[in-house]
Structure formats: structure tokens, C-alpha cells
Amino acid sequence: MKQAAILAVVVWLLAVDVLAGEPQLVLSLEPVEVSQGGILQIKAWGKDIAEARAIFPDRDLPLVRGRDGVFSAFWGVDLEQRPRVLDFAVEVRNGKEEKWAKRLTAYVKAKEFSTETFSVSKEFEPPDRETLKRIEKEQAVLERLWKIHSANRLWEGAFAAPVPGAISSQFGFRRVINGLARAPHTGVDLRAALGAEVFAVNSGRVVLKDDFFFGGKSLVLDHGGGLYTMYFHLSEFRAEKNAQVRKGEVIGLAGMTGRVTGPHLHWGARLNGARIDPMELLILETGIRQ
Ligand SMILES: [Zn+2]
């Protein structure tokens, strides 16, 4: 634990760079090696910065100024993103329209997710045609959501867990049944009794409130800046569609709707469309795992 903390500091110091001609400007990248399902934090601070953005090959990501004056952006690395070098630039402008750009490099590294291999003599009945159509439609509804990037960041400060329960099924967990690898688990399952309150992990807007085949009663919050969190298998909703909710507000009650065998909360997150481990959100601002 101590070693990991020291390593994080060293990596952070290596990433800090001072731009020529602008000695007050500091950039940081954390972590430099980001795991599949992880979050890359890009920060810039210094005197006279009016605007900052990260320029990736396929998109620009604005850095948002926080209350502390630090500009930041968060980049999600998908669960199945192949390990690769991630080259990008950070461009800053001052109030006089002068700009500086600096190239940065991060690395996506593979993470070992747990797997379970077993055989069953009789598989579940495959869904019928009508159900398959419904599943496809519901997946399309979600995919469309991830493509909308509300510019304004609605969340602020540390994220809080949606329920106090421990993890019962890890992010990225994969079952291999009768030799066939199933889709990986794209969220975490948290222990929650039937009817337990489910809290908004940070401020956001309810952009989906629906009853889905797999997710059951499902709710999605848009936190802005390309970040979404989702809450599945609820027994009841406690927030209306389009409502603005604050961190810690009750948005629903845990349950076992959809394709589940018992009550729990499936908590998922998307960042820039990438399927990220929602537990990573809990260590974002404070650096302390809650
Ligand atoms: Zn789950």
C-alpha cells in the first residue's frame, strides 16, 4: 500500500512539466500507465490560463476549471481497449489569445480480470425472437446516450458509493461456460437488500428511467463532461426523468428486476463512451479509496 503510494507520487512528478516561455504553467497526467477500465486524469494549472483542452487523434476534450483554479479532464479507458501508447497534446490559451501546446504520452496496460470456468449440462433457454428484438432496441437506446456529451460538468468533489454494500461481482469478471467466453461484466454488483435506498453518486441529471429486459428497472445519470452512471435491477424509482439530482439524493430502491437471481445493485459507468470500472470514480478527487 505504502509502496503503491510512493510509486504514484514518483509517476506524478515525472509527468509534471514546465512549458518553455510560460514558467507558471504545470501539466500533470495521472496515472501515466492506466489500466483497462481505468481513468486518466489530465490537469493543467498556472497563472493566466483562460482555456485548456486535450487534443486526441479522434476528438478534443475540454479541460474544465475547478473551484481551486485547476483545469482538469478525465479520459476513460474501455474495459477491452488493447494495450497501446496514447499520444495526445494539451493546448492552453491565455486571455490574450496566445496559446501553447505540449505533447504528452500515456500508456494503456492490460488488467487481469477474474474468470470462472465451468460446464453445465443444460443451458438457459435462449431468448425468443421478440425478446431478442427488445434487447437490441434497449441496447441501441443506451448506445445513443453515450454519444451525447453534455459539455457542462455537473459533478463536483468526491464521488460516494450508491449503496454501502460490498462488491459481490467484480468489474470485468467473465464466465466461460462450456468452453464459450461470455460477455464481461461491465459494472460492479453491490450487495443491497430488497428496498435498500440507492443514492446518486454525484450531481447529475436523470436521462433514462425505463424497464429493460436485462437491467430491469434501470436509471441512468448524466454527470456532464461525457460521464454517465447507471443503476440496474431497482425495485422502485425515486427520481423523475430529466430531474436534476444532487450527490447523496435517493434515486431509487434496490431490487431484483430484470435478469437476476437475487437482489443487488448493478452499478455501471461510462466515460467518453468507454466502459470504466465505477469503483475508480470513488478515488478520483480525494485519492482515498472509500
Ligand atoms: Zn451486474
Side-chain angles (χ1 to χ4, degrees):
M1 186 65 207
K2 206 170 181 182
Q3 249 181 348
I6 292 166
L7 182 69
V9 171
V10 172
V11 167
W12 182 82
L13 284 173
L14 285 173
V16 170
D17 208 337
V18 176
L19 287 186
E22 187 50 79
Q24 299 277 358
L25 180 69
V26 183
L27 297 175
S28 99
L29 199 56
E30 196 189 343
V32 172
E33 284 188 10
V34 57
S35 296
Q36 292 168 324
I39 300 170
L40 180 66
Q41 301 185 50
I42 306 156
K43 291 187 177 175
W45 65 95
K47 239 178 88 186
D48 299 332
I49 304 179
E51 227 177 275
R53 63 191 179 121
I55 304 164
F56 287 89
D58 57 340
R59 77 174 64 161
D60 282 10
L61 192 64
L63 272 67
V64 179
R65 191 205 299 262
R67 277 191 190 168
D68 53 4
V70 176
F71 285 78
S72 61
F74 301 85
W75 178 260
V77 176
D78 190 77
L79 167 65
E80 292 182 291
Q81 168 67 57
R82 282 165 183 260
R84 58 175 276 212
V85 175
L86 197 61
D87 276 317
F88 63 101
V90 172
E91 185 189 270
V92 296
R93 288 167 190 266
N94 62 17
K96 289 177 257 166
E97 284 303 304
E98 292 171 312
K99 62 178 184 184
W100 294 267
K102 171 105 186 118
R103 297 210 69 81
L104 293 170
T105 303
Y107 304 90
V108 173
K109 62 175 180 183
K111 186 170 179 175
E112 256 187 51
F113 297 108
S114 55
T115 56
E116 188 183 47
T117 304
F118 60 93
S119 301
V120 288
S121 55
K122 193 173 180 288
E123 291 258 20
F124 287 114
E125 285 285 318
D128 57 35
R129 266 179 66 147
E130 209 168 298
T131 310
L132 277 175
K133 262 187 168 170
R134 179 185 166 189
I135 293 167
E136 256 173 49
K137 204 176 129 205
E138 290 169 356
Q139 276 168 350
V141 167
L142 289 172
E143 288 304 322
R144 268 202 302 278
L145 268 187
W146 319 139
K147 290 197 171 73
I148 305 164
H149 287 207
S150 326
N152 291 339
R153 194 183 290 171
L154 301 172
W155 58 271
E156 194 175 28
F159 282 75
V163 290
I167 296 174
S168 58
S169 177
Q170 297 277 356
F171 175 80
F173 172 70
R174 201 190 274 269
R175 283 196 174 91
V176 182
I177 308 172
N178 296 347
L180 273 177
R182 299 302 159 102
H185 193 212
T186 56
V188 289
D189 289 348
L190 299 172
R191 291 187 200 283
L194 190 69
E197 290 180 323
V198 174
F199 308 101
V201 295
N202 212 315
S203 300
R205 193 169 65 88
V206 180
V207 286
L208 183 132
K209 180 190 162 199
D210 214 334
D211 199 346
F212 281 175
F213 179 76
F214 283 116
K217 284 190 172 145
S218 305
L219 197 133
V220 178
L221 294 183
D222 178 2
H223 301 284
L227 176 67
Y228 293 87
T229 54
M230 55 199 111
Y231 311 79
F232 291 172
H233 316 309
L234 302 173
S235 59
E236 278 180 43
F237 294 113
R238 283 291 153 87
E240 291 307 319
K241 188 154 179 221
N242 291 320
Q244 299 274 349
V245 296
R246 299 190 68 80
K247 180 168 88 176
E249 215 175 295
V250 176
I251 51 174
L253 303 182
M256 50 182 297
T257 55
R259 292 275 272 199
V260 289
T261 51
H264 69 269
L265 176 72
H266 172 100
W267 180 36
R270 290 273 183 151
L271 180 55
N272 307 116
R275 298 166 296 174
I276 59 159
D277 183 350
M279 299 306 283
E280 292 283 320
L281 293 171
L282 301 182
I283 56 168
L284 257 195
E285 287 289 313
T286 60
I288 299 161
R289 205 171 274 276
Q290 291 171 355

